[in-house]
Amino acid sequence: MAREADLVKAEMKRIHDEKKEMENVPKDATVVTYKFGTGYLLRGTNYMWLSEGNLCFYPRDYPHLFTPESSLHFYCLRIPLKDLEYFSSEGEIFRESKISGGGGGGLSIGGAVVGGVVAGGIGALLGSRKAVKPVESKIITHDEREVILYYNINHELKTMSFSKSSIGAFEKLIPEKSFVVVDSVKKMDIIDEKTIDAKTTSIPDKIRDLAMLLKEGLITEDEFTEKKKELLSKMT
């Protein structure tokens, strides 16, 4: 029986490695851990790399048994970069204080009280005093963050969730798709739309528009100051 299991495992590895070679998975491909989402064909830990304008995923591990779902473990998922919106680290980190120990000063009476007399005698009473344990306080950190990848399929926004440890892989491979970068670009585009057309809008009006963007929280104080300085320099 063990021999048969070894043969199955070897065959699954052969299929896995053969498909991996066919898909041209790079030797230095980064690794991410899939949790859930619309990339339902992914399983557990996956290789992730870029190829011909696509973000590609292929399973790093393979099943050791033949199952109806075995073929899904050898599926290569490709998402065109043009369809990627952004990725971001989402979730919460919170801490709690856990206190343990103490509880030693009182008496634990194991006998029954009858007429005000403790059954079992005074020896039982004295021997039942609880031991005192030192009180300890421990801070426990709960990290519930995860990496969410947003992308489009047929003009519909989809998401996939990866473990928080995968954030470094995404930042290394597609840094331009980080939410921070994408959001900054969009903000600068808004600024440019408001300030680039000098023919129809005066510089004072542009500064007023910038002030409105600042008030609405669409740009930062530094972005406002930089653009305002740039506009004022054109008036001199």
Side-chain angles (χ1 to χ4, degrees):
M1 192 69 178
R3 173 61 177 170
E4 182 179 346
D6 289 341
L7 290 174
V8 170
K9 181 179 177 180
E11 177 63 10
M12 298 301 280
K13 184 178 187 306
R14 184 194 67 79
I15 297 173
H16 174 272
D17 293 346
E18 185 178 87
K19 184 67 182 293
K20 178 182 174 183
E21 185 175 351
M22 288 176 57
E23 298 293 350
N24 295 316
V25 179
K27 292 183 178 180
D28 61 346
T30 188
V31 175
V32 294
T33 302
Y34 174 76
K35 295 178 66 177
F36 59 86
T38 48
Y40 59 91
L41 291 177
L42 298 183
R43 295 288 189 277
T45 307
N46 295 263
Y47 295 111
M48 183 174 72
W49 73 100
L50 295 175
S51 177
E52 298 178 349
N54 297 294
L55 182 64
C56 307
F57 299 90
Y58 183 75
R60 188 184 69 169
D61 305 316
Y62 56 90
H64 293 174
L65 297 173
F66 284 117
T67 67
E69 296 81 22
S70 292
S71 61
L72 298 181
H73 287 267
F74 310 116
Y75 177 80
C76 183
L77 175 64
R78 289 180 171 82
I79 304 176
L81 289 177
K82 63 180 180 61
D83 293 334
L84 290 180
E85 289 292 331
Y86 61 87
F87 68 87
S88 64
S89 179
E90 302 179 11
E92 298 180 343
I93 299 178
F94 64 93
R95 296 174 174 82
E96 66 172 340
S97 179
K98 183 177 181 180
I99 299 176
S100 61
L107 298 177
S108 177
I109 302 175
V113 177
V114 180
V117 179
V118 178
I122 196 163
L125 175 63
L126 295 176
S128 64
R129 184 178 294 275
K130 292 182 180 178
V132 177
K133 295 182 179 180
V135 177
E136 296 180 350
S137 177
K138 181 186 295 184
I139 302 298
I140 301 175
T141 300
H142 299 273
D143 190 344
E144 298 184 352
R145 290 174 301 171
E146 58 188 359
V147 182
I148 309 296
L149 179 66
Y150 294 83
Y151 64 104
N152 292 292
I153 296 181
N154 298 324
H155 306 291
E156 184 177 353
L157 190 64
K158 303 290 185 179
T159 62
M160 286 195 292
S161 170
F162 297 83
S163 67
K164 64 179 182 293
S165 61
S166 302
I167 186 68
F170 282 94
E171 290 175 342
K172 176 182 177 182
L173 204 61
I174 49 173
E176 73 281 3
K177 293 297 183 177
S178 166
F179 173 77
V180 175
V181 175
V182 172
D183 187 55
S184 296
V185 170
K186 287 183 177 180
K187 286 179 178 178
M188 293 309 295
D189 286 344
I190 292 174
I191 293 174
D192 289 340
E193 288 177 1
K194 293 291 185 180
T195 61
I196 197 170
D197 191 359
K199 295 181 179 178
T200 58
T201 307
S202 67
I203 289 179
D205 286 339
K206 290 179 182 180
I207 295 176
R208 293 188 189 96
D209 289 338
L210 285 172
M212 184 60 67
L213 292 175
L214 176 63
K215 182 178 180 181
E216 294 174 355
L218 295 176
I219 61 174
T220 65
E221 186 74 36
D222 289 341
E223 290 169 337
F224 170 77
T225 301
E226 180 182 350
K227 279 294 181 180
K228 178 181 176 181
K229 182 178 179 181
E230 178 184 330
L231 289 169
L232 290 174
S233 67
K234 296 178 180 180
M235 296 181 65
T236 58

